[in-house]
Amino acid sequence: MNDNISIKAEGLAKKYCKSLKRSMFYGMTDILKNIFGKSSAPGLLRKDEFWALAELNFEIKKGETVGVIGGNGSGKTTLLKMLNGIFWPDKGKLSVDGKVGALIEVGAGFQPLLTGRENIYINGAVLGMSKSEVEAKFLAIVEFAELGDFLEVPVKHYSSGMFVRLGFAIAVHSDPGILLVDEILSVGDEKFRNKCQNRIDELRKKEVTIIYVSHDLMSVKRLCSRALWLKSGEPAFFGAADQAVNAYLDSLNADYNRELAGKNKQAVIHRSGTGEAVIRKAEFSGGKYVFKTGDDMLVDAECYSEKGVKNPLFGAIIHSSSGVYIAGTNSSTGEKLEELKGKVNVRYVFEKLQLLPGNYFLSLALHDEEGRRIYDLHEQSYEFQIAVSAGEKVPASSGFMKLNCKWEYKG
Amino acid sequence: MKRYLNTYEPDNCLKQGYFPMFKQIAREIIDSKWLIYQLFKRDFSAAYRQSIFGILWIIVIPVIGIAGVFLLNRSNIVNIGETPVSFLLYAASGLAVWQIFGIGLVSATSSLAKAGPMIVKVNFSKKSLVISAFSQCLAPFLVLFTVTLILCLVEGVKATFFTLLFPVLLLPLILFTLGLGFMLALLNGIIRDIASAVSVLATFLLLFTPILYAAPKTGGYIYAVRYNPLYYLISVPRDALITGAPGHLYGYFISALLSLLIFCVCITVFHITETRIAERI
């Protein structure tokens, strides 16, 4: 393997077995075959086996920070475990050049009855540090973990934050050449997260290769030069982090859209009203149910009145998924329809939607000019979603609405 | 600077050949000395940390065992037979050596399954886990060995050349136990019944092997003793200690060779298959 390559995967694949009993049986037969010097034919699938990871080919350069993204069960953790040498491939070849340190559920192997001091030595040894290394870094570990008077206290009395801090401190002081990070930054308070982030930045400057697994796509964009998007165990995209995240988000939005389309089709319309005029059907224009903040949202409604109603108004209300009233409007401020008689198609155009990411429900109403007589009301019957926008570095607004505010400074 | 280059492929070990594999095993164990010590210290400290009597418990079980057999013998329920030294010294020394096999095997067998959560999260030497778990037999062995030495002094047992060889004579038993420990730990990682079966088997072997009673000189049972390698591996070091003149050296030699073979085969199997442990455990 080339000297400036840190990790190389060639046709890498890993299989699992769905049945525990069968897995035990396969385990025994594989061991027996290996004992007698025979291959267990790991590249073939047996009954109840499936590929948890398949056909992975990539090279990661030394000092590079690469993100791994994908939904639950996409194979991210399996890949990290293979890079860490915990799981071995069933197909292909994986070459890893460098001492691997893992920030995956830090503190594994801590003995709760023993003190912080004792656990530093034990965990250090488990992570591959020598006695002299642990002794040389002991004070730095204690300082990083902010143990204070708790150094001589059994770790079972530690808060969950202290426990993670200690585990993280030992792991990052083990001088890894390759660091595997799995959602660790989502643990602990803001101060701890900043500290971890700074430490990871220091390691990046020292040219440590970092494999960063996270559902926080913004941090993947910020930290990583490239990213691998895994989908159902297979590589869907490997390239620039920006492109990988955008491709993943587009795919997620398409999934959400499909899901919402199904939900809206099956949704029961909660109706009330006099029935003099009705909304026969309504749907999101173009089958688009997922939007971004600032997008236009179009809803097409087919309205009908047998006898006819004069000056009808078309109303709309948006509720959050938890039922909080967000905003309402009606056609009194726009172009009015003098009479609704027979069939009329109405398009609601919600311009530059200022809603923040989340799921929302739309109610549609048809009522008289004063709003006293409700002809037809479809209450919270249409669900749509505002998706996370990949471009924002820091969420600028909170709550439900984006506030467009300017700041002027004088003096 | 040390280069850590690892290549992971299916059936990796089979491609290497046996000689490089043995070298790799030896290197791994030597490199893991400190880890083995830390794991041993962790389990030993944790076992007695929340206990008032602590390490005293180590001696309670053997003392009850010796007292029980002694009383059964006095009541003519059990026939201990004719022991070469006092029954107390005979039983204490036999039990001291037995701890290496009994405690060592039971601890080693459950070592991987017990450390399951750690094995699936951290990559470290699994052999260290088995060896450190086996080493849990050290404390009970040393306690009973000390009792034996005190009794030897009290009874005026004289040391001979064989007495000085006692630590060396224990080596085959250590290899035998460790070898079986590696294999059983692996199997128990996949099928948890193994640990329970080993506990039962250890109790049976303690009664089956002449440790708390003298070896029979007549009857059909003599054959069961004659073909039990454990009898030679335990009785020869014990007799070296308490009589200075162990018998059955031929049987011991054959058993020692068998132990070496078992150790080599089992550790090789463990090495070849340990990569499968994490995903099955």
Side-chain angles (χ1 to χ4, degrees):
Chain A
M1 193 166 80
N2 198 323
D3 267 5
N4 66 345
I5 299 296
S6 191
I7 300 167
K8 187 176 181 183
E10 298 161 82
L12 200 64
K14 181 78 207 158
K15 65 183 178 184
Y16 289 145
C17 184
K18 286 179 205 161
S19 155
L20 181 65
K21 295 269 183 216
R22 214 176 281 278
S23 163
M24 284 159 59
F25 173 72
Y26 291 156
M28 294 299 287
T29 50
D30 290 348
I31 285 175
L32 280 173
K33 281 178 184 168
N34 284 173
I35 288 171
F36 293 106
K38 289 189 174 176
S39 166
S40 54
L44 300 175
L45 285 184
R46 294 167 287 193
K47 194 179 174 193
D48 283 338
E49 285 185 331
F50 65 97
W51 293 112
L53 211 57
E55 288 308 316
L56 267 184
N57 291 288
F58 60 81
E59 274 188 358
I60 294 169
K61 288 182 195 138
K62 283 189 176 156
E64 204 179 356
T65 302
V66 173
V68 181
I69 53 176
N72 292 330
S74 59
K76 302 186 298 295
T77 305
T78 301
L79 175 62
L80 280 199
K81 287 187 173 175
M82 289 172 83
L83 293 174
N84 201 4
I86 296 170
F87 289 173
W88 282 49
D90 286 312
K91 228 169 38 173
K93 185 177 172 183
L94 177 66
S95 307
V96 180
D97 187 1
K99 183 181 172 189
V100 180
L103 296 178
I104 308 169
E105 294 183 57
V106 289
F110 276 177
Q111 168 49 255
L113 289 173
L114 303 186
T115 64
R117 178 189 292 276
E118 289 167 314
N119 272 302
I120 289 174
Y121 278 91
I122 294 162
N123 210 243
V126 169
L127 295 178
M129 293 165 83
S130 66
K131 187 183 177 192
S132 55
E133 267 182 284
V134 176
E135 279 169 351
K137 285 167 186 162
F138 187 83
L139 286 177
I141 293 171
V142 172
E143 198 185 328
F144 189 94
E146 297 172 22
L147 290 186
D149 296 338
F150 280 79
L151 183 61
E152 308 298 346
V153 172
V155 297
K156 71 173 182 174
H157 296 308
Y158 283 18
S159 67
S160 55
M162 282 175 85
F163 195 89
V164 175
R165 278 207 305 270
L166 181 58
F168 187 94
I170 302 167
V172 292
H173 284 86
S174 65
D175 276 345
I178 299 168
L179 186 66
L180 312 175
V181 185
D182 188 3
E183 288 293 353
I184 186 72
L185 300 182
S186 59
V187 186
D189 58 18
E190 192 62 30
K191 190 181 159 203
F192 172 66
R193 282 208 296 270
N194 286 336
K195 204 169 180 176
C196 294
Q197 191 62 66
N198 291 340
R199 181 69 190 172
I200 289 175
D201 287 342
E202 277 174 32
L203 292 172
R204 287 171 70 202
K205 281 177 197 157
K206 284 186 191 169
E207 299 241 308
V208 171
T209 307
I210 297 175
I211 307 298
Y212 181 69
V213 172
S214 182
H215 289 292
D216 177 5
L217 301 174
M218 297 310 116
S219 67
V220 172
K221 274 189 161 188
R222 196 171 60 243
L223 290 171
C224 307
S225 53
R226 292 194 294 162
L228 169 68
W229 164 28
L230 290 174
K231 192 175 184 183
S232 308
E234 289 183 19
F237 186 93
F238 184 47
D242 273 13
Q243 290 175 18
V245 168
N246 290 342
Y248 174 51
L249 279 176
D250 286 347
S251 152
L252 273 185
N253 290 343
D255 288 346
Y256 290 143
N257 208 64
R258 264 194 299 279
E259 198 180 305
L260 284 173
K263 267 189 184 175
N264 277 307
K265 261 183 199 155
Q266 290 170 0
V268 177
I269 310 282
H270 306 289
R271 305 184 77 153
S272 57
T274 62
E276 289 157 86
V278 292
I279 302 166
R280 274 177 164 176
K281 65 172 185 180
E283 57 191 16
F284 289 90
S285 180
K288 189 180 174 191
Y289 299 86
V290 178
F291 305 88
K292 285 178 186 158
T293 305
D295 278 358
D296 289 349
M297 182 170 83
L298 309 180
V299 178
D300 291 324
E302 185 185 303
C303 302
Y304 180 81
S305 176
E306 183 73 43
K307 290 180 183 170
V309 288
K310 298 276 183 198
N311 299 317
L313 291 180
F314 300 90
I317 298 168
I318 292 174
H319 284 86
S320 74
S321 58
S322 55
V324 177
Y325 181 97
I326 310 282
T329 185
N330 64 45
S331 56
S332 64
T333 54
E335 196 182 330
K336 289 179 189 166
L337 184 71
E338 282 180 10
E339 187 182 17
L340 167 60
K341 189 163 181 170
K343 188 180 102 173
V344 174
N345 289 324
V346 181
R347 170 167 280 189
Y348 288 71
V349 181
F350 299 90
E351 286 182 324
K352 291 177 185 161
L353 215 54
Q354 294 303 301
L355 291 170
L356 291 175
N359 278 32
Y360 297 90
F361 286 96
L362 177 70
S363 307
L364 295 179
L366 183 53
H367 53 82
D368 69 355
E369 207 169 2
E370 280 83 35
R372 289 184 191 146
R373 197 169 175 78
I374 309 288
Y375 303 134
D376 196 7
L377 171 66
H378 293 194
E379 204 176 349
Q380 296 186 44
S381 298
Y382 306 99
E383 191 177 357
F384 65 98
Q385 188 183 65
I386 304 295
V388 178
S389 168
E392 279 185 69
K393 281 189 178 167
V394 180
S397 304
S398 57
F400 297 113
M401 303 294 292
K402 184 176 175 185
L403 287 177
N404 289 318
C405 180
K406 281 182 184 169
W407 283 264
E408 291 174 357
Y409 306 97
K410 284 179 185 171
Chain B
M1 206 172 124
K2 191 176 173 184
R3 191 179 181 196
Y4 298 85
L5 176 61
N6 290 305
T7 305
Y8 305 111
E9 278 181 285
D11 298 326
N12 216 12
C13 292
L14 299 177
K15 293 171 186 165
Q16 282 183 326
Y18 283 103
F19 187 66
M21 198 195 303
F22 282 128
K23 260 176 78 177
Q24 206 178 11
I25 293 170
R27 172 62 37 213
E28 185 186 331
I29 293 174
I30 291 166
D31 286 349
S32 306
K33 284 194 309 273
W34 195 58
L35 171 61
I36 293 169
Y37 170 65
Q38 288 299 324
L39 290 171
F40 167 77
K41 208 170 78 171
R42 178 193 69 167
D43 295 339
F44 185 77
S45 308
Y48 302 107
R49 189 61 58 100
Q50 231 174 355
S51 145
I52 294 172
F53 298 107
I55 202 164
L56 280 177
W57 284 109
I58 290 173
I59 204 162
V60 170
I61 296 167
V63 163
I64 290 173
I66 294 169
V69 175
F70 186 69
L71 288 173
L72 289 172
N73 180 52
R74 286 278 296 262
S75 322
N76 288 326
I77 298 167
V78 168
N79 181 17
I80 290 171
E82 205 176 305
T83 53
V85 288
S86 73
F87 172 72
L88 203 56
L89 176 55
Y90 182 82
S93 57
L95 275 179
V97 180
W98 167 261
Q99 302 302 315
I100 294 174
F101 179 78
I103 305 276
L105 189 67
V106 171
S107 303
T109 301
S110 54
S111 59
L112 293 185
K114 264 188 189 167
M118 194 161 86
I119 287 173
V120 294
K121 284 169 198 155
V122 190
N123 184 19
F124 65 104
S125 163
K126 277 81 170 176
K127 294 181 192 80
S128 308
L129 267 179
V130 179
I131 298 171
S132 72
F134 162 78
S135 309
Q136 294 302 320
C137 69
L138 268 178
F141 164 74
L142 286 174
V143 169
L144 282 166
F145 178 66
T146 310
V147 171
T148 304
L149 285 183
I150 293 167
L151 289 172
C152 280
L153 286 174
V154 171
E155 295 192 16
V157 175
K158 288 197 175 115
T160 67
F161 168 71
F162 279 108
T163 317
L164 297 175
L165 276 184
F166 177 72
V168 180
L169 293 171
L170 284 178
L171 280 177
L173 179 66
I174 293 171
L175 289 180
F176 181 72
T177 312
L178 255 178
L180 289 180
F182 274 116
M183 185 64 100
L184 294 169
L186 192 69
L187 296 176
N188 188 54
I190 300 168
I191 303 169
R192 298 296 151 86
D193 309 66
I194 302 290
S196 315
V198 166
S199 290
V200 175
L201 187 73
T203 312
F204 169 75
L205 284 174
L206 174 63
L207 300 173
F208 184 72
T209 312
I211 293 167
L212 290 170
Y213 54 90
K217 286 174 182 158
T218 54
Y221 187 52
I222 196 168
Y223 296 102
V225 173
R226 188 179 291 169
Y227 298 111
N228 176 4
L230 204 52
Y231 168 64
Y232 301 105
L233 296 176
I234 291 174
S235 69
V236 168
R238 177 195 62 195
D239 292 350
L241 197 65
I242 59 175
T243 66
H248 312 298
L249 286 177
Y250 180 70
Y252 174 78
F253 184 69
I254 300 288
S255 302
L257 282 179
L258 183 72
S259 303
L260 185 64
L261 182 73
I262 286 176
F263 177 77
C264 289
V265 170
C266 292
I267 201 164
T268 308
V269 170
F270 187 89
H271 185 75
I272 291 173
T273 53
E274 70 177 314
T275 56
R276 299 182 186 279
I277 293 171
E279 57 196 273
R280 308 278 179 198
I281 214 141

